[in-house]
Amino acid sequence: MQESSLEKRLRLEVKKHGGRALKFVSPGKRGVPDRLVLKPGGRAIFVEMKAPGKPLEPLQLKRAKQLRTLGFQVYKIDSIEDIKNFIQEEFKPGGDA
C-alpha cells in the first residue's frame, strides 16, 4: 500500500471519530511530521506517515524527540494495522476524546 493511500485512510478514520487529520507543513523546518491530528477537546497529535516498512529519517527522529520533549505525542504510521491501533488508542470510548 502506498503512503498516499495510508494518509487518506487515516484522514477518513480520524474524521469518523470527530477529529481532523490535517496536512502539516512548516516552511523552513525540514523533518516535521506529515499530519497534525486534531481531536475533540482541543488535543493535538503529530503523525509521520511512511511507506510500509520504511523507517524514520534521522532528522525526523530528531524532530519527533523535540516535539515529545514539549509534551506532544508523535506517532509513526506505516500500515493499516498502525492506523487501527492509533484510532483505538487515541479515540477509545470513555477516553478524553
Side-chain angles (χ1 to χ4, degrees):
M1 178 170 271
Q2 293 183 341
E3 184 178 331
S4 60
S5 298
L6 289 171
E7 280 192 274
K8 182 177 181 180
R9 178 74 177 264
L10 175 70
R11 283 193 327 267
L12 292 173
E13 291 297 323
V14 168
K15 189 172 183 177
K16 276 189 213 177
H17 290 83
R20 296 292 180 264
L22 306 176
K23 185 73 175 171
F24 181 65
V25 180
S26 181
K29 197 68 149 177
R30 294 178 44 231
V32 296
D34 300 312
R35 293 277 163 183
L36 179 60
V37 174
L38 303 176
K39 290 178 57 177
R43 190 149 163 256
I45 303 166
F46 292 91
V47 176
E48 179 60 46
M49 301 297 298
K50 299 300 276 186
K54 191 172 177 188
L56 293 176
E57 300 292 329
L59 186 55
Q60 291 172 322
L61 288 168
K62 178 182 177 179
R63 297 289 182 237
K65 183 178 179 183
Q66 290 171 336
L67 290 167
R68 287 183 181 116
T69 298
L70 292 171
F72 291 100
Q73 286 186 280
V74 182
Y75 285 81
K76 174 199 172 229
I77 293 179
D78 72 352
S79 68
I80 294 293
E81 189 65 28
D82 284 349
I83 293 171
K84 289 178 184 176
N85 290 337
F86 173 79
I87 294 297
Q88 188 174 17
E89 288 175 28
E90 293 298 332
F91 293 92
K92 59 187 166 202
D96 63 356

